[in-house]
């Protein structure tokens, strides 16, 4: 008894120091409609004398009230190690201690006149964090779903499925059927939801009175309902299987989380989270399922090593130092030597650069523009392999399979709720990464229309029929799509639009022009490579088949896949800002292109184009391992964007070559110098175009 009183005293001291008493008073104030909690500190000392005596109050109340208490385990352990140990290893007992103290505080401080028994105080302890020790961490890739102590643990993973929000019973009042029993009135029999309890454990018709053992019946008008949502969480490494590279011998199993009340809607499908929860065994006869009652939820991203501890490729560092005077050479060489096991150096350089730019510009922020890529080619096999190889460098990559669901699917929840369970498709599972769609010629028209709708709105709508899933009304939910899409189209499959094609447009095969318009970047490969490039590709493929891994190109820098992984990871983590010169060039080109194409072609350049330009310039800056977006980065962005718009709508007054970013071969230093000179000339062409079609641009852009 003395130990319990000492623990309760520590609870009271902690609530006072952490602001818990003031929060309790604030939570009680709306119950009365007036302020009964002013000056509670004047009554704090009399509370300490009440722990040695028990109080009973038979006055009636109206409902069960829930109070949320934030608990910092570190502060608890520092203040009272016994209380900290109780909270971390016996949370149910700790909840009882906090419940008793909160009830006594409510009565002593007269915070509300609607609570008169401790059973009416439903306390929820929410942990701010857990100690960073293995005993408090649950690894979703190696744990066993067996019975264990009901204590809080921390886990990280990706959300692969989520249900609608449904109701559950927080608390209920029961009355004795014997009118002569004291339990037939008042609130002697109150049942409150506990972690792991099912609905039948809280509310059913076979409870007995603790006073006379007669049957109890529920007073339904006093039932208190709360919100409940189920989430499937899986280890993030399980998503590597979706890259499609190789079959893994590991089998990953998801964990079901129960989100209740304020935690509902705190998790988004496809995103990564760190969850503190209590593992429980849910008894649903004749089966027992292992689940986790979530206690707190925080967004989570795997953090890279600090700069001092991060392993960086010495080859890329050496290259960066050697080509530092030129802002264009480093990404050019990186793209030139990319994917040498699949293509010879110098072939498809523009595509390789676009793939790298898309890789480093992958985020989960809703405001960040995406870098979707559509490749138009007659050689889909080689470029499909190149894109699949690039996918292996992404932080999260999903290669969509024809038999899989692309966006979302529905099923009935198997945990007893009977509501709709929404499963993530390839696009949602690739949040913050790349979703590779492959060759679009294999998709049906309805699928292509759906892809176009999603690319335009950047969201997925899921229709849930209410009658099928136990609801009175139908519901439509929307989920954000936050990944970059890569796709191919076979230009050899003529679409029949060639007779009316505008000069400069690309033959997109079975892909409608409206769908091609929704992709930010359109890159044409193969048709302009010519017979020489086809022969070089054939010889390279034969060479790799006979001698895998050999690189018969002595003039080329050699970088391993690990080097590129480290480069992409480092570039992706950089925070960059636009310089005034880059902003002016991007804004001037956007205004000039909008006016020029509207006059000559009637094409409306949307506001998304300027977002694409900024995203391309930032990605090029990151790939250069810089944090300041300079005017040269904006030049590359303008050239890529202009080539893409030309393939969609035809040539404009800005006359640039088809492969403007790589106008010459990069076999040696002379080739790099010729490229720098060509890009300088294209820079001047862009400026003259801006001065011509955007009057007033010369006021904020100085021609060099």
């Amino acid at each position: 008894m003395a130990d319990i009183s000492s623990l309760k005293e520590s609870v009271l001291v902690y609530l006072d120091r952490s602001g818990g008493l003031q929060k309790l008073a604030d939570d009680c104030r709306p119950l009365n409609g007036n302020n009964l909690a002013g000056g509670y500190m004047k009554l704090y000392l009399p509370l300490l004398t009440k722990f040695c005596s028990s109080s009973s109050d038979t006055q009636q109340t109206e409902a069960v009230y829930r109070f949320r208490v934030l608990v910092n385990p570190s502060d608890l352990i520092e203040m009272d190690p016994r209380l900290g140990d109780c909270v971390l290893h016996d949370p149910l007992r700790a909840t009882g201690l906090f419940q008793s103290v909160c009830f006594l505080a409510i009565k002593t401080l007269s915070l509300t006149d609607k609570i008169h028994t401790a059973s009416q105080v439903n306390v929820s302890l929410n942990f701010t964090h857990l100690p960073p020790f293995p005993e408090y961490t649950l690894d979703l890739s190696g744990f066993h779903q067996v019975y264990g102590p009901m204590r809080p643990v921390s886990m990280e993973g990706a959300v692969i499925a989520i249900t609608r929000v449904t109701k559950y019973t927080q608390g209920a009042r029961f009355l004795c059927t014997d009118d002569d029993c004291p339990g037939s009135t008042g609130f002697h029999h109150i049942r409150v939801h506990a972690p792991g309890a099912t609905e039948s454990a809280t509310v059913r018709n076979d409870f007995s009175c603790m006073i006379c053992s007669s049957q109890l019946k529920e007073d339904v008008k006093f039932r208190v309902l709360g919100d409940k949502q189920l989430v499937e969480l899986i280890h993030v490494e399980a998503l590597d299987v979706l890259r499609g590279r190789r079959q893994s011998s590991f089998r990953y199993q998801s964990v079901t989380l129960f989100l209740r009340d304020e935690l509902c809607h705190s998790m988004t499908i496809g995103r990564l989270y760190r969850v503190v929860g209590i593992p429980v065994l849910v008894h649903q006869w004749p089966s027992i399922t292992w689940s986790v009652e979530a206690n707190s939820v925080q967004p989570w991203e795997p953090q890279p090593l600090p700069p001092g501890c991060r392993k960086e490729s010495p080859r890329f560092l050496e290259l960066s130092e050697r080509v530092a005077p030129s802002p264009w050479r480093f990404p050019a060489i990186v793209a030139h030597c990319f994917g040498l096991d699949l293509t010879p150096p110098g072939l498809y350089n523009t595509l390789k650069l676009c793939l790298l730019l898309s890789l480093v510009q992958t985020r989960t922020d809703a405001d960040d523009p995406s870098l979707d890529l559509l490749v138009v080619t007659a050689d889909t096999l080689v470029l499909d392999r190149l894109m699949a190889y690039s996918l292996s460098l992404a932080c999260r990559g999903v290669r969509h399979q024809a038999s899989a669901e692309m966006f979302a699917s529905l099923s009935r929840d198997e945990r007893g709720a009977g509501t709709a369970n929404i499963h993530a498709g390839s696009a949602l599972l690739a949040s913050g990464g790349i979703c590779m769609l492959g060759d679009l010629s294999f998709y049906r028209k309805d699928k292509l229309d759906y892809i176009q709708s999603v690319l335009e709105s950047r969201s997925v709508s899921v229709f849930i029929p209410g009658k099928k899933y136990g609801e009175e009304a139908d519901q439509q939910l929307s989920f954000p799509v936050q990944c970059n899409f890569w796709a191919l189209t076979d230009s050899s499959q003529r679409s029949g639009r060639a007779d009316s094609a505008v000069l400069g447009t690309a033959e997109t095969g079975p892909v409608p022009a409206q769908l091609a318009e929704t992709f930010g970047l359109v890159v044409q490969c193969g048709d302009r490579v010519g017979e020489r490039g086809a022969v070089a590709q054939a010889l390279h493929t034969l060479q790799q088949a006979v001698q895998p891994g050999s690189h018969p190109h002595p003039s080329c820098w050699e970088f391993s896949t690990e080097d590129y992984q480290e480069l992409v990871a480092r570039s992706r983590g950089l925070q960059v800002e636009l310089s005034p010169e880059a902003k002016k060039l991007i804004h001037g080109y956007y205004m000039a292109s909008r006016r020029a194409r509207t006059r000559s072609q009637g094409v409306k350049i949307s506001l998304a184009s300027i977002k694409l330009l900024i995203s391309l310039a930032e990605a090029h800056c990151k790939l250069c391992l810089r944090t300041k977006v300079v005017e040269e980065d904006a030049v590359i962005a303008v050239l890529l964007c202009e080539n893409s718009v030309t393939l969609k709508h035809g040539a404009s007054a800005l006359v640039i070559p088809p492969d403007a970013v790589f106008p010459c071969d990069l076999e040696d230093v002379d080739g790099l110098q010729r490229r720098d000179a060509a890009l300088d000339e294209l820079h001047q062409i862009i400026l003259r175009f801006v001065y011509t079609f955007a009057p007033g641009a010369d006021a904020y852009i100085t021609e060099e």
Side-chain angles (χ1 to χ4, degrees), residues 19 36 82 109 119 123 148 223 279 298 314 319 329 377 396 464 486 490 513 540 591 651-652 655 682:
L36 297 178
R82 295 177 305 158
L109 303 178
S119 58
V123 173
R223 181 183 293 189
Q298 294 178 346
L319 175 63
R329 292 190 181 184
T377 180
R396 289 177 67 180
I464 303 176
W486 292 351
D490 191 351
H540 184 82
M591 296 301 299
S652 69
V655 181
L682 290 172

Side-chain angles (χ1 to χ4, degrees), residues 437-686:
L437 301 179
D439 192 348
L440 295 182
S441 61
F442 295 106
Y443 288 76
R444 300 193 309 268
K445 184 179 183 302
D446 58 334
K447 288 290 186 182
L448 295 179
D449 293 340
Y450 196 12
I451 294 173
Q452 177 182 339
S453 174
V454 170
L455 288 177
E456 291 174 346
S457 62
R458 305 306 300 187
S459 63
V460 174
S461 297
V462 180
F463 176 75
I464 303 176
K467 182 180 295 185
K468 182 177 180 180
Y469 295 103
E471 298 290 340
E472 296 181 356
D474 298 338
Q475 188 176 6
Q476 186 163 343
L477 302 179
S478 181
F479 300 95
V481 176
Q482 298 170 335
C483 67
N484 294 340
F485 288 94
W486 292 351
L488 290 163
T489 180
D490 191 351
S491 59
S492 64
Q493 300 183 18
R494 301 298 175 181
S495 61
R497 300 187 297 268
D499 296 339
S500 60
V502 182
L503 178 65
T505 56
E507 172 60 56
T508 57
V511 176
Q514 295 82 0
L515 175 57
E517 179 67 25
T518 59
F519 283 86
L521 282 179
V522 177
V523 179
Q524 188 173 28
C525 300
D527 294 347
R528 293 167 178 162
V529 171
E531 182 179 354
R532 180 182 176 184
V535 172
Q537 178 63 59
L539 293 177
H540 184 82
T541 302
L542 292 174
Q543 179 71 27
Q544 291 299 312
V546 176
Q547 298 178 348
S550 62
H551 297 153
H553 308 284
S555 63
C556 183
W557 288 73
E558 293 185 9
F559 304 105
S560 64
T561 301
E562 291 74 16
D563 292 335
Y564 277 101
Q565 287 177 340
E566 295 161 6
L567 175 65
V568 170
R570 182 184 177 189
S571 302
R572 183 175 177 269
L574 293 176
Q575 298 293 329
V576 299
E577 60 176 343
L578 286 170
S579 65
E581 295 78 13
K583 289 182 181 179
K584 293 173 182 178
L585 182 62
I586 290 174
H587 180 264
Y589 165 77
Y590 170 74
M591 296 301 299
S593 179
R594 185 175 182 178
R595 293 173 181 173
R597 290 189 179 273
T598 302
R599 293 176 185 175
S600 62
Q601 301 171 341
V603 177
K604 294 183 179 180
I605 305 298
S606 65
L607 187 62
S609 298
I610 198 167
K611 296 181 179 179
L612 175 64
L613 287 166
I614 294 175
S615 183
L616 285 170
E618 290 179 347
H620 191 268
C621 175
K622 291 181 180 180
L623 193 59
C624 295
L625 302 179
R626 289 187 273 104
T627 57
K628 189 80 168 182
V629 181
V630 296
E631 192 170 1
E632 287 78 5
D633 298 318
V635 170
I636 297 296
V638 168
L639 295 177
L640 290 175
C641 187
E642 179 64 21
N643 275 335
S644 178
V645 176
T646 300
L647 293 175
K648 297 175 185 177
H649 304 292
S652 69
L654 178 58
V655 181
I656 60 175
D659 294 325
V661 179
F662 290 93
C664 56
D665 294 333
L666 305 180
E667 296 179 354
D668 49 24
V669 177
D670 293 338
L672 292 173
Q673 293 176 349
R674 290 193 300 271
R675 179 177 182 267
D676 287 349
L679 290 178
D680 285 332
E681 183 179 352
L682 290 172
H683 186 187
Q684 301 306 315
I685 294 175
I686 294 172

Side-chain angles (χ1 to χ4, degrees), residues 120-137:
Q120 308 311 303
V121 180
N122 182 12
V123 173
S124 174
L125 300 183
N126 294 95
F127 297 93
T128 58
H129 66 281
L130 292 180
F133 301 121
E135 293 79 6
Y136 302 99
T137 302

